[in-house]
Amino acid sequence: MKTWKLATGAFIIGCTALLLSPLTATALNPKLPDNGQAALSSLDQPVHHEMLAAGTALAADARQSAAATPPGPEAAPEPLQAGQRPNTPEPDTQKAETSLMQQHPEPSSGDDAGTPALEQQIKQWATSLSKEPGFEAWSAATWSVYPLGPGTHSWMILLQGNGQEIGYMIIASTKEHTYKLMEYGLGPNPLFSMNTLYQSLVQRALIPDTIPYESFAQEPSMKLTRWYILPLQAVWEVQQGTTTLYLDAKTGEELPDIGSWLTGTKEIQQVLSQYPLSSGVISESQTRADFDPFMKTTWLTETPLAQLTFAQWKSTAAPELHFTYLGKLFGGRALYPLAVSGYHLWDTDCSFLRLEHEGSRFVPYMDALLAGELFSGS
């Protein structure tokens, strides 16, 4: 059965190459936002949530840190701290990131101007999501916070339960000093997981398998840079000597050379009107059966659905139908056929599409349509 499936997959991939060969080059011009939303971040040690009790001092410190650190090819942002920026410890005193999770403290008080502290916002969204199927473990999860670029005021939240990575959130602050939830997901392969990156680099013989994960996490032997481009487009840039490699930050799979595309993108522009407000909770959700898009190939043989609003799509999304999302990502250099497995509708009237990509990824419905198309089939 496995041999048949591989043979079938190879045949389908061959058809894909014949039918969609223009999509392998820059000739494809997907409907991406003109503002080229991108965020660059050098690898930093995480900020753990017990350090966030200073309330709005965290957001203020992030802004001050970005302003105080001039850009440059060698510049790397210091990890965010609650009111300070300590020096990086010596390698022999550092701990692997998997051992750095601490139990979440009670939310801090003293927030000024009605602005919630980042830790409060994380806990609020984690609590709201923990009431949804599949998110139950989030109610007792611990987390670490990683900055996503100087001056962007955005963070990747890595959640862990029972010693395992279980999910993530991408959060950004606004000019009004509130927070917006831009993407979140479930599963053991969250965005920018050092575990996934380590396994990918070992498989590609970029680091020997004799180096344990803990040592790699403490002191990588190469320059690692996080890129996050909305939506769905998260990339590890790995530089070792004169070699540069780009890996999908979700799966660790190697991407084409997207260096020129990354260079051409502008600093992230936080067009956040479509994202949940800080006080948002989920008002409606649906979970649909997962499936293999390579076994249901309407995205190869049929025309995509018209650009529908979320309400219009939901009214046609009968439970027995399978919907495939075809992402045309990274400047059209990569195609991602992903199964649509449900949605979340927040009380701020913001809809998130649930896509299966080494675990579930929830991305704003309208943002997903800017970078891809929906196909339906039985």
Side-chain angles (χ1 to χ4, degrees), residues 1 10 13 16 21 35 37 49 68 148 158-160 174 191 221 225 238 240 248 264 305 344:
M1 179 64 72
I13 292 171
T16 306
S21 56
N35 54 17
Q37 300 161 326
H49 48 273
L148 285 175
L158 179 64
L159 291 97
Q160 188 179 63
T174 71
L191 289 185
S221 59
T225 307
V238 180
Q240 189 176 52
D248 186 294
L305 298 176
H344 282 168

Side-chain angles (χ1 to χ4, degrees), residues 284-299:
E284 181 183 342
S285 65
Q286 182 191 81
T287 301
R288 306 172 69 90
D290 188 13
F291 64 94
D292 185 349
F294 286 94
M295 295 294 104
K296 295 184 181 294
T297 58
T298 54
W299 56 277

